[in-house]
Amino acid sequence: MSFSVFVLVPVFNRLHHTKTMVECLRAQKTEARLVIVIINDGSTDGTADYLAGQPDLVALKGDGTLFWGGAMECGLQYALPLCSTDDYILFLNNDTYFAPGYVDELVRSSRENGDAAVGSMIHDADAQPPLVSIGARVDVNRIRVTDIIDELSAAERADPAAFYFPDALSGRGTLFPASVFDKYGTLMPKLLPHYFADYELSMRFRLKGVRLVVSRDGFVVSPPVYGNSTEGMSLRERLFSIRSSGNLRHTLTFFCLVGTPTQRVTAPLRLLVKAIWQGVRR
């Protein structure tokens, strides 16, 4: 069966990571036709010149204000009109590295689990054992996100199961059947421009009946510091910066979007109580 995988990668600088990730994609041993779409959101480190010299890549341009959600939405608006019903969309970050069988493993896992959306386990390049993240557990009542890995014994962390079933999937290596976007919509970057955009999307799909799966064999390797780190940010930046995973407005927006009507009404109060409690504990 002939099918395509449209790989969407938002980038802002970190050209050395982008080059390594692109080589990983070029090395894939896959039955799919890979269409690599790089969304360059105003990089200033030579990324634009590099992309201009890569005829096998599709380069889309941003002005530095797209952030993750806007960049991925830009990629989706490019890719979805080109997709057939058998195609897939793969969300990737540029600081991820993976084996030559990575894409086919995600496709296989999706098909084995009823056309599921399939996320990737995350390995730390410097850790032993390397597994550091499996997938999100989202506690809407407590306004809290944890990781499945926190539930595992040391033995299972060293030898995880083939599949896990999270509440939400991150954009750090997740494959979606293209058809789910036509049925249930795309990202909402005006509401969630950066953090939580991927979680909201995958939780919306799950509520519509799309299975969410994380594959042991479809894993990505990342550097030790990635994702939602707020190291080096001031208190104001942690609470209000678009690039902060602790942004109060986006946290509230996310938990309102994924909650029940009652949970939406009570979310501001619960977030306030949580913020006060965390301040007391510090």
Side-chain angles (χ1 to χ4, degrees):
M1 179 178 65
S2 176
F3 66 97
S4 298
V5 175
F6 289 79
V7 187
L8 309 185
V9 189
V11 302
F12 177 71
N13 294 330
R14 304 191 301 180
L15 177 57
H16 61 292
H17 284 314
T18 299
K19 288 180 176 179
T20 301
M21 181 274 308
V22 166
E23 291 309 314
C24 286
L25 287 171
R26 287 170 171 162
Q28 290 299 294
K29 298 177 180 178
T30 175
E31 59 179 309
R33 180 179 74 98
L34 291 186
V35 181
I36 305 170
V37 182
I38 309 293
I39 307 97
N40 176 24
D41 190 23
S43 297
T44 58
D45 64 347
T47 292
D49 291 338
Y50 163 74
L51 294 175
Q54 311 301 311
D56 59 331
L57 307 181
V58 176
L60 305 179
K61 295 180 180 180
D63 61 3
T65 64
L66 291 176
F67 298 99
W68 188 90
M72 295 305 277
E73 182 66 15
C74 180
L76 286 170
Q77 295 305 316
Y78 169 83
L80 289 174
L82 305 177
C83 288
S84 71
T85 55
D86 296 324
D87 292 342
Y88 297 88
I89 300 286
L90 174 58
F91 286 8
L92 272 180
N93 280 8
N94 69 334
D95 60 341
T96 52
Y97 324 116
F98 34 86
Y102 172 69
V103 170
D104 272 11
E105 176 58 37
L106 296 183
V107 171
R108 181 188 68 80
S109 298
S110 177
R111 291 172 176 171
E112 286 187 4
N113 287 278
D115 293 326
V118 183
S120 305
M121 292 190 186
I122 300 175
H123 288 194
D124 184 328
D126 295 341
Q128 194 54 242
L131 179 63
V132 294
S133 177
I134 294 175
R137 293 286 190 222
V138 180
D139 187 334
V140 179
N141 283 323
R142 295 186 180 183
I143 307 189
R144 184 174 69 173
V145 178
T146 56
D147 197 287
I148 291 173
I149 195 171
D150 298 331
E151 306 166 5
L152 306 187
S153 66
E156 190 172 355
R157 290 186 186 199
D159 184 22
F163 298 114
Y164 291 89
F165 305 94
D167 298 329
L169 295 170
S170 82
R172 200 172 192 80
T174 292
L175 183 85
F176 298 95
S179 60
V180 300
F181 295 97
D182 292 330
K183 294 178 182 177
Y184 308 125
T186 57
L187 292 157
M188 296 186 288
K190 291 184 178 180
L191 293 175
L192 295 171
H194 202 58
Y195 284 108
F196 294 115
D198 47 2
Y199 284 2
E200 185 283 323
L201 180 74
S202 56
M203 290 185 75
R204 190 194 326 153
F205 290 168
R206 182 170 68 89
L207 289 171
K208 296 295 186 179
V210 179
R211 200 174 196 189
L212 305 187
V213 176
V214 175
S215 167
R216 176 190 62 201
D217 297 326
F219 65 88
V220 297
V221 181
S222 288
V225 178
Y226 68 89
N228 62 0
S229 174
T230 56
E231 183 178 350
M233 288 186 175
S234 68
L235 177 60
R236 180 180 178 82
E237 288 171 331
R238 289 200 300 271
L239 295 178
F240 302 109
S241 171
I242 290 179
R243 295 190 181 278
S244 171
S245 59
N247 181 292
L248 290 178
R249 182 167 67 88
H250 300 153
T251 300
L252 179 59
T253 298
F254 166 68
F255 281 99
C256 285
L257 286 170
V258 302
T260 65
T262 300
Q263 288 169 330
R264 294 187 192 113
V265 171
T266 61
L269 177 60
R270 288 184 288 112
L271 180 59
L272 177 61
V273 170
K274 178 180 178 181
I276 293 172
W277 173 244
Q278 288 178 336
V280 169
R281 292 184 67 186
R282 286 195 182 97

